[in-house]
Amino acid sequence: MLRALARATVDPPVPGQGSTVQLWEFLASLGAIDLVAARSVEPHFDAAAILGEAGKPWQPGQTWGVYAAEGPGSTLEATADDHGQWELNGIKPWCSLAGQISHALISAHTAQGRRLFTVQLDQPGIHAETGNWISRGMARLPSGSVRFASVKAKPVGPAGWYLDRAGFAVGGAGVAACWFGGASGIFRHLLESSAKREPDQLALAWLGEADRLLAGGAQVLHHAAGLADSGALDAMHAARVRGHIAQLCGRVLQISAEATGPGPLATDENHARRVADLGIYVRQHHGARDDAALGRMVLQQHARAGALPW
C-alpha cells in the first residue's frame, strides 16, 4: 500500500469535497479485507486533507502519517531560534510506520500551546522504537514511540489550529469508516460459517443482529459523509458517529466469538488476525470517556439554544 501511495501522480482524495461517501466506502472496503492496509492509507489521506486545509501544496512521491496522540511520560517540545527555524526534541508516542513513511504531521508543545508541524522522517536525530510494540493486533503495523533530537520541522497553522479546524471532526469520522470495514470482515466470516451448516435459532439470531447493526452503521456513516460534504459535520456529529461505530464493532466481535467459538481464533489465520486488529484499532475510541465528552457538548448546546437534540 505504501508503494502504491508513493507512486501516485495525482493528489490523494480528501473528505469534505463532494466525494466523501466514495472515499469512506473505499476505506471500509479495504478494512474489510485487511485492516492494516486501511490503517496505513487513512492517515495518508488525512494528511492530504490537513495540508489542503492549511493551504500547503501536496508533493507526489511522498507517504504521510499523522502523529497527534499524547501519552503519559512522553512529551515532544518544539522551539524556534532567533531566525524562526523550528526543531523538535522529546518523545512522541503512537507513531505508526515511522520507519517506513517519508513524512509526518506531528503535534508538539510550544510556549503558545500545542502546534502542528511537518517533518521529513529521514533526518538524523529521529529514532523509531519498535521493540516495545508487543500487541498481537496490528502486529504488522508497529506503533511505538519515536525519539526526536534537534529535528527540523515546519509549522502548519498557529497554535491550537489542528484541533480547532473544521476538518478535525471529518477526519475522526473517517477513522470510524475503517473500523466499520473491520466489523464487515468479521460479519463475512460469520455469514460463511452459518452457510456451512444448518443454522439453529441462535445462529440465525446472531447473524440477524450483526446484519442489523451493520445496516445501521452504514446509514450513520452515509449521513455523516453528506454532512461533511456540506460543511456541517461538527464535533458533536463526529462523536456520535465514532461512538456508534465503536459500539457496533464491540458487539460484532462478541457475536462472532459466541457464534463460532474458539476454533477459528485458534486455526484460521486471517480471522484471528482480523479479530485482533479490530480489537486494538477500535480502542482509539475511549468508551465512556468519549461519551462523557459528547454529553458535555449536548449540555452546552442545550444551554446555548435551549433546543432538544431529539
Side-chain angles (χ1 to χ4, degrees), residues 106-123:
I106 304 177
S107 66
H109 294 270
T110 72
Q112 295 75 36
R114 286 180 65 191
R115 193 169 184 179
L116 194 67
F117 296 86
T118 62
V119 179
Q120 189 168 328
L121 294 176
D122 62 355
Q123 298 181 59

Side-chain angles (χ1 to χ4, degrees), residues 3-305:
R3 287 194 296 269
L5 294 176
R7 289 196 301 265
T9 57
V10 297
D11 291 353
V14 298
Q17 302 295 321
S19 58
T20 306
V21 169
Q22 291 84 354
L23 175 57
W24 287 358
E25 283 181 348
F26 168 74
L27 290 174
S29 298
L30 191 59
I33 299 170
D34 190 328
L35 265 177
V36 169
R39 178 66 181 83
S40 302
V41 169
E42 184 277 327
H44 182 82
F45 292 170
D46 191 33
I50 295 168
L51 290 171
E53 200 169 355
K56 303 289 185 180
W58 179 265
Q59 300 294 330
Q62 299 174 348
T63 49
W64 284 78
V66 180
Y67 305 147
E70 300 287 332
S74 301
T75 302
L76 183 64
E77 296 184 349
T79 54
D81 62 21
D82 294 338
H83 303 287
Q85 302 299 310
W86 290 85
E87 70 173 29
L88 304 181
N89 289 278
I91 301 174
K92 192 66 175 175
W94 305 106
C95 297
S96 301
L97 297 172
Q100 297 175 253
I101 58 178
S102 64
H103 293 74
L105 287 163
I106 304 177
S107 66
H109 294 270
T110 72
Q112 295 75 36
R114 286 180 65 191
R115 193 169 184 179
L116 194 67
F117 296 86
T118 62
V119 179
Q120 189 168 328
L121 294 176
D122 62 355
Q123 298 181 59
I126 298 178
H127 176 66
E129 300 177 344
T130 58
N132 58 355
W133 185 256
I134 62 172
S135 171
R136 301 305 184 264
M138 293 287 172
R140 295 171 297 152
L141 194 148
S143 298
S145 299
V146 173
R147 292 181 177 271
F148 295 83
S150 301
V151 173
K152 296 178 181 179
K154 296 180 180 179
V156 179
W161 176 81
Y162 172 71
L163 295 177
D164 294 339
R165 64 190 176 87
F168 183 78
V170 179
V175 173
C178 297
W179 301 341
F180 179 86
S184 298
I186 302 295
F187 172 82
R188 293 174 187 179
H189 178 268
L190 179 66
L191 179 61
E192 292 172 0
S193 298
S194 299
K196 288 179 181 177
R197 59 183 183 276
E198 185 64 31
D200 59 14
Q201 285 290 94
L202 278 176
L204 291 172
W206 282 319
L207 186 63
E209 182 184 355
D211 175 79
R212 171 170 54 81
L213 291 171
L214 287 166
Q219 290 300 312
V220 167
L221 285 166
H222 193 279
H223 176 67
L227 291 176
D229 285 336
S230 66
L233 184 66
D234 60 16
M236 181 180 293
H237 288 110
R240 290 168 177 163
V241 171
R242 287 171 62 88
H244 183 90
I245 301 302
Q247 188 175 50
L248 173 162
C249 290
R251 181 54 186 155
V252 168
L253 285 169
Q254 184 180 22
I255 288 172
S256 171
E258 293 178 359
T260 63
L265 292 173
T267 62
D268 186 330
E269 168 67 24
N270 289 332
H271 176 69
R273 183 174 64 243
R274 185 176 290 113
V275 168
D277 287 347
L278 180 58
I280 192 168
Y281 192 5
V282 78
R283 290 277 55 82
Q284 286 188 4
H285 185 266
H286 303 112
R289 294 185 183 278
D290 281 357
D291 279 342
L294 173 58
R296 184 176 297 278
M297 286 186 278
V298 172
L299 279 177
Q300 290 172 344
Q301 183 187 67
H302 177 64
R304 286 194 306 267

